Amino acid sequence: MSYVALSIVPLLIFNVTIMAFIQEYFLNDRISEIGPRAIVVSDVVAGFTFEGLQRAAPLSQLRQRVNIHQGQTGARFIVVDPSARVVDDTNRSMDDSLVGQTLLQREVLEVLNGRSVPPILYRGDEYVLKIAISARDNYSGEVGAVLLVDSVDDIFNSLAEIRTRLYLYSLAVGLMVGLLVLFMSHRLIAPLRQIVRVVQRMSAGQLNLRIPISSRDEYSILSRTFNDMTEKLEQVDKTREEFVSNVSHELKTPLTAIKVLSESILSQESVPEEVSREFMQDINNEVDRMVNITTDLLALVKVEQREQSLNIALTDINELVEDILKRLAPLAEQKKVILLYEEVRQVQIDADEIKLALAISNIVENGIKYTPGGGTVKVVVDSDHQNVHITIQDTGIGIPEEEQDKIFNRFYRVDKTRDRDTGGTGLGLAISRATVLLHNGSIRLTSNPDEGSLFSIRIPIRMS
């Protein structure tokens, strides 16, 4: 209804404006037609004294000459002397003659006082136009006035007819515009209401809903954006559930082992020292595993908190990578894996050295763990004008394509059995990704089964 009002109100304003213009045009046309006749009457008055004018009554004799007779224009001329007494009237022979009466009308008095008065429109029983001008008696020099009175009911009758037609046309146009606006507003609002309904149900937790897309307009873009956002929210919710399940599973496994080992010791009255020490060693290993999981979880939570401040300092990436490789060299020798390092450029960047070292170390360590003996793990450091590029390539078991999007998820393992043998918690790559993102960087994986994996890390040289 607001749209309809906005479409009709300007039309009404136009009608009022155009009618005012037409009325002014017709009135001005009538004034230009009868105004000169008042001047003719004024010239006639100049040839008489006001007393002589009353006796001679020249206006009635002058009707044909000045074309002001009652039957043609309805115009009436009244001459008053300086005392505002009527001395002649074109209606002298009629019952409404004013001859001999004092005419105390505002426009007449204004003219007698030497002031000019514009044409005045009066509305009584009929619409009347009055024009007053001064008239001088050339014999005595006295100044009187000539008052022209003309009915303009014919003009207003014509205006009423025009107004009726104009309003009828406007009503028809307004109805058509209103119907069109209602139709268009329905077309515009209906998809928005549908979006609102679906979004409200989404906010209530029904993340499986999607907004139907049936067009290619802005609403379809908005709907597609909401659908994409919902899919991401649904994925986040699913990831949260998987995370809780994985944490429970990871902690339950060592706890179950500890409980079984401790119950085995308690259920026996006398346990040989060798068996007791073996059981205690197994319990200690499981406790260490729980500590590692908890430590990695805390590290991941801290890294994923965007509000956490980084200890940014100028960091030599080449030196950082060399230290990581030296630290992991014993693990590579134990696995009979060859570590290679290529330094394309010397690079220094703004970074949190400790967190970034942990992120790179996790990826290199994974490469060593999953590369068979005789294989290689190669680290390359390069840069352009804006970013440092670190690539870590191994010749290990590789990752299937369908698993690559999930590899950075918490506790995700491609081969769960093998990963438990290596002692990993399944959080290393999640920590690495979160750390790189915290540095406004990106990390990308390219891998093929049995051919190895390539991790590409990009980090801005200067933190914005």
PDB file of all heavy atoms in Angstrom, residues 439-455:
ATOM      1  N   HIS A 439      48.990 -15.882  10.389  1.00  0.00           N
ATOM      2  CA  HIS A 439      49.979 -14.980   9.787  1.00  0.00           C
ATOM      3  C   HIS A 439      49.482 -14.396   8.458  1.00  0.00           C
ATOM      4  O   HIS A 439      50.283 -13.876   7.674  1.00  0.00           O
ATOM      5  CB  HIS A 439      51.293 -15.739   9.537  1.00  0.00           C
ATOM      6  CG  HIS A 439      52.100 -15.946  10.787  1.00  0.00           C
ATOM      7  ND1 HIS A 439      51.824 -16.941  11.694  1.00  0.00           N
ATOM      8  CD2 HIS A 439      53.184 -15.272  11.280  1.00  0.00           C
ATOM      9  CE1 HIS A 439      52.709 -16.890  12.689  1.00  0.00           C
ATOM     10  NE2 HIS A 439      53.536 -15.884  12.465  1.00  0.00           N
ATOM     11  N   ASN A 440      48.152 -14.501   8.201  1.00  0.00           N
ATOM     12  CA  ASN A 440      47.537 -13.986   6.959  1.00  0.00           C
ATOM     13  C   ASN A 440      48.075 -14.704   5.720  1.00  0.00           C
ATOM     14  O   ASN A 440      48.121 -14.133   4.625  1.00  0.00           O
ATOM     15  CB  ASN A 440      47.763 -12.473   6.807  1.00  0.00           C
ATOM     16  CG  ASN A 440      47.100 -11.684   7.907  1.00  0.00           C
ATOM     17  OD1 ASN A 440      46.071 -12.086   8.432  1.00  0.00           O
ATOM     18  ND2 ASN A 440      47.719 -10.571   8.286  1.00  0.00           N
ATOM     19  N   GLY A 441      48.489 -15.944   5.890  1.00  0.00           N
ATOM     20  CA  GLY A 441      49.024 -16.727   4.784  1.00  0.00           C
ATOM     21  C   GLY A 441      48.047 -17.779   4.304  1.00  0.00           C
ATOM     22  O   GLY A 441      46.868 -17.777   4.653  1.00  0.00           O
ATOM     23  N   SER A 442      48.554 -18.698   3.492  1.00  0.00           N
ATOM     24  CA  SER A 442      47.730 -19.784   2.976  1.00  0.00           C
ATOM     25  C   SER A 442      48.592 -21.037   2.858  1.00  0.00           C
ATOM     26  O   SER A 442      49.817 -20.962   2.743  1.00  0.00           O
ATOM     27  CB  SER A 442      47.139 -19.422   1.613  1.00  0.00           C
ATOM     28  OG  SER A 442      48.164 -19.257   0.648  1.00  0.00           O
ATOM     29  N   ILE A 443      47.915 -22.189   2.883  1.00  0.00           N
ATOM     30  CA  ILE A 443      48.613 -23.469   2.742  1.00  0.00           C
ATOM     31  C   ILE A 443      47.811 -24.338   1.783  1.00  0.00           C
ATOM     32  O   ILE A 443      46.583 -24.390   1.862  1.00  0.00           O
ATOM     33  CB  ILE A 443      48.794 -24.150   4.121  1.00  0.00           C
ATOM     34  CG1 ILE A 443      49.577 -25.457   3.971  1.00  0.00           C
ATOM     35  CG2 ILE A 443      47.464 -24.379   4.806  1.00  0.00           C
ATOM     36  CD1 ILE A 443      50.017 -26.035   5.308  1.00  0.00           C
ATOM     37  N   ARG A 444      48.506 -24.998   0.866  1.00  0.00           N
ATOM     38  CA  ARG A 444      47.841 -25.787  -0.180  1.00  0.00           C
ATOM     39  C   ARG A 444      48.536 -27.131  -0.310  1.00  0.00           C
ATOM     40  O   ARG A 444      49.762 -27.237  -0.178  1.00  0.00           O
ATOM     41  CB  ARG A 444      47.891 -25.021  -1.500  1.00  0.00           C
ATOM     42  CG  ARG A 444      47.150 -25.667  -2.651  1.00  0.00           C
ATOM     43  CD  ARG A 444      46.994 -24.678  -3.797  1.00  0.00           C
ATOM     44  NE  ARG A 444      48.263 -24.084  -4.168  1.00  0.00           N
ATOM     45  CZ  ARG A 444      49.105 -24.598  -5.061  1.00  0.00           C
ATOM     46  NH1 ARG A 444      48.805 -25.730  -5.675  1.00  0.00           N
ATOM     47  NH2 ARG A 444      50.245 -23.995  -5.357  1.00  0.00           N
ATOM     48  N   LEU A 445      47.727 -28.165  -0.571  1.00  0.00           N
ATOM     49  CA  LEU A 445      48.242 -29.530  -0.672  1.00  0.00           C
ATOM     50  C   LEU A 445      48.036 -30.069  -2.076  1.00  0.00           C
ATOM     51  O   LEU A 445      46.960 -29.926  -2.661  1.00  0.00           O
ATOM     52  CB  LEU A 445      47.528 -30.440   0.336  1.00  0.00           C
ATOM     53  CG  LEU A 445      47.734 -31.954   0.161  1.00  0.00           C
ATOM     54  CD1 LEU A 445      49.201 -32.329   0.403  1.00  0.00           C
ATOM     55  CD2 LEU A 445      46.818 -32.738   1.081  1.00  0.00           C
ATOM     56  N   THR A 446      49.082 -30.689  -2.617  1.00  0.00           N
ATOM     57  CA  THR A 446      48.995 -31.431  -3.876  1.00  0.00           C
ATOM     58  C   THR A 446      49.571 -32.810  -3.621  1.00  0.00           C
ATOM     59  O   THR A 446      50.706 -32.934  -3.147  1.00  0.00           O
ATOM     60  CB  THR A 446      49.794 -30.740  -4.993  1.00  0.00           C
ATOM     61  OG1 THR A 446      49.339 -29.391  -5.128  1.00  0.00           O
ATOM     62  CG2 THR A 446      49.609 -31.470  -6.313  1.00  0.00           C
ATOM     63  N   SER A 447      48.778 -33.861  -3.915  1.00  0.00           N
ATOM     64  CA  SER A 447      49.257 -35.207  -3.578  1.00  0.00           C
ATOM     65  C   SER A 447      48.627 -36.253  -4.475  1.00  0.00           C
ATOM     66  O   SER A 447      47.511 -36.066  -4.985  1.00  0.00           O
ATOM     67  CB  SER A 447      48.933 -35.512  -2.107  1.00  0.00           C
ATOM     68  OG  SER A 447      49.431 -36.781  -1.747  1.00  0.00           O
ATOM     69  N   ASN A 448      49.356 -37.344  -4.675  1.00  0.00           N
ATOM     70  CA  ASN A 448      48.867 -38.513  -5.388  1.00  0.00           C
ATOM     71  C   ASN A 448      49.289 -39.756  -4.610  1.00  0.00           C
ATOM     72  O   ASN A 448      50.407 -39.813  -4.077  1.00  0.00           O
ATOM     73  CB  ASN A 448      49.441 -38.587  -6.809  1.00  0.00           C
ATOM     74  CG  ASN A 448      48.889 -37.485  -7.703  1.00  0.00           C
ATOM     75  OD1 ASN A 448      47.691 -37.302  -7.818  1.00  0.00           O
ATOM     76  ND2 ASN A 448      49.795 -36.727  -8.325  1.00  0.00           N
ATOM     77  N   PRO A 449      48.416 -40.752  -4.491  1.00  0.00           N
ATOM     78  CA  PRO A 449      48.784 -41.974  -3.756  1.00  0.00           C
ATOM     79  C   PRO A 449      50.047 -42.620  -4.329  1.00  0.00           C
ATOM     80  O   PRO A 449      50.232 -42.696  -5.547  1.00  0.00           O
ATOM     81  CB  PRO A 449      47.554 -42.871  -3.952  1.00  0.00           C
ATOM     82  CG  PRO A 449      46.420 -41.923  -4.215  1.00  0.00           C
ATOM     83  CD  PRO A 449      47.024 -40.782  -4.972  1.00  0.00           C
ATOM     84  N   ASP A 450      50.926 -43.052  -3.412  1.00  0.00           N
ATOM     85  CA  ASP A 450      52.184 -43.742  -3.743  1.00  0.00           C
ATOM     86  C   ASP A 450      53.175 -42.849  -4.494  1.00  0.00           C
ATOM     87  O   ASP A 450      54.201 -43.335  -4.973  1.00  0.00           O
ATOM     88  CB  ASP A 450      51.916 -45.015  -4.566  1.00  0.00           C
ATOM     89  CG  ASP A 450      51.018 -45.994  -3.832  1.00  0.00           C
ATOM     90  OD1 ASP A 450      51.173 -46.104  -2.591  1.00  0.00           O
ATOM     91  OD2 ASP A 450      50.168 -46.624  -4.479  1.00  0.00           O
ATOM     92  N   GLU A 451      52.879 -41.550  -4.618  1.00  0.00           N
ATOM     93  CA  GLU A 451      53.807 -40.642  -5.294  1.00  0.00           C
ATOM     94  C   GLU A 451      54.315 -39.532  -4.381  1.00  0.00           C
ATOM     95  O   GLU A 451      55.215 -38.788  -4.752  1.00  0.00           O
ATOM     96  CB  GLU A 451      53.133 -40.010  -6.528  1.00  0.00           C
ATOM     97  CG  GLU A 451      52.796 -41.018  -7.621  1.00  0.00           C
ATOM     98  CD  GLU A 451      52.178 -40.339  -8.828  1.00  0.00           C
ATOM     99  OE1 GLU A 451      52.157 -39.081  -8.851  1.00  0.00           O
ATOM    100  OE2 GLU A 451      51.712 -41.042  -9.732  1.00  0.00           O
ATOM    101  N   GLY A 452      53.716 -39.407  -3.210  1.00  0.00           N
ATOM    102  CA  GLY A 452      54.159 -38.387  -2.276  1.00  0.00           C
ATOM    103  C   GLY A 452      53.223 -37.189  -2.224  1.00  0.00           C
ATOM    104  O   GLY A 452      52.203 -37.141  -2.916  1.00  0.00           O
ATOM    105  N   SER A 453      53.595 -36.219  -1.399  1.00  0.00           N
ATOM    106  CA  SER A 453      52.766 -35.031  -1.171  1.00  0.00           C
ATOM    107  C   SER A 453      53.624 -33.773  -1.263  1.00  0.00           C
ATOM    108  O   SER A 453      54.827 -33.799  -0.983  1.00  0.00           O
ATOM    109  CB  SER A 453      52.096 -35.093   0.210  1.00  0.00           C
ATOM    110  OG  SER A 453      51.306 -36.263   0.332  1.00  0.00           O
ATOM    111  N   LEU A 454      52.974 -32.668  -1.671  1.00  0.00           N
ATOM    112  CA  LEU A 454      53.634 -31.374  -1.757  1.00  0.00           C
ATOM    113  C   LEU A 454      52.782 -30.344  -1.016  1.00  0.00           C
ATOM    114  O   LEU A 454      51.652 -30.078  -1.396  1.00  0.00           O
ATOM    115  CB  LEU A 454      53.802 -30.956  -3.216  1.00  0.00           C
ATOM    116  CG  LEU A 454      54.348 -29.533  -3.452  1.00  0.00           C
ATOM    117  CD1 LEU A 454      55.773 -29.412  -2.928  1.00  0.00           C
ATOM    118  CD2 LEU A 454      54.287 -29.165  -4.932  1.00  0.00           C
ATOM    119  N   PHE A 455      53.329 -29.790   0.072  1.00  0.00           N
ATOM    120  CA  PHE A 455      52.679 -28.734   0.822  1.00  0.00           C
ATOM    121  C   PHE A 455      53.304 -27.399   0.422  1.00  0.00           C
ATOM    122  O   PHE A 455      54.529 -27.235   0.517  1.00  0.00           O
ATOM    123  CB  PHE A 455      52.835 -28.953   2.327  1.00  0.00           C
ATOM    124  CG  PHE A 455      52.013 -30.091   2.862  1.00  0.00           C
ATOM    125  CD1 PHE A 455      52.510 -31.387   2.849  1.00  0.00           C
ATOM    126  CD2 PHE A 455      50.747 -29.875   3.376  1.00  0.00           C
ATOM    127  CE1 PHE A 455      51.777 -32.438   3.355  1.00  0.00           C
ATOM    128  CE2 PHE A 455      49.994 -30.924   3.878  1.00  0.00           C
ATOM    129  CZ  PHE A 455      50.507 -32.215   3.856  1.00  0.00           C
TER     130      PHE A 455
END
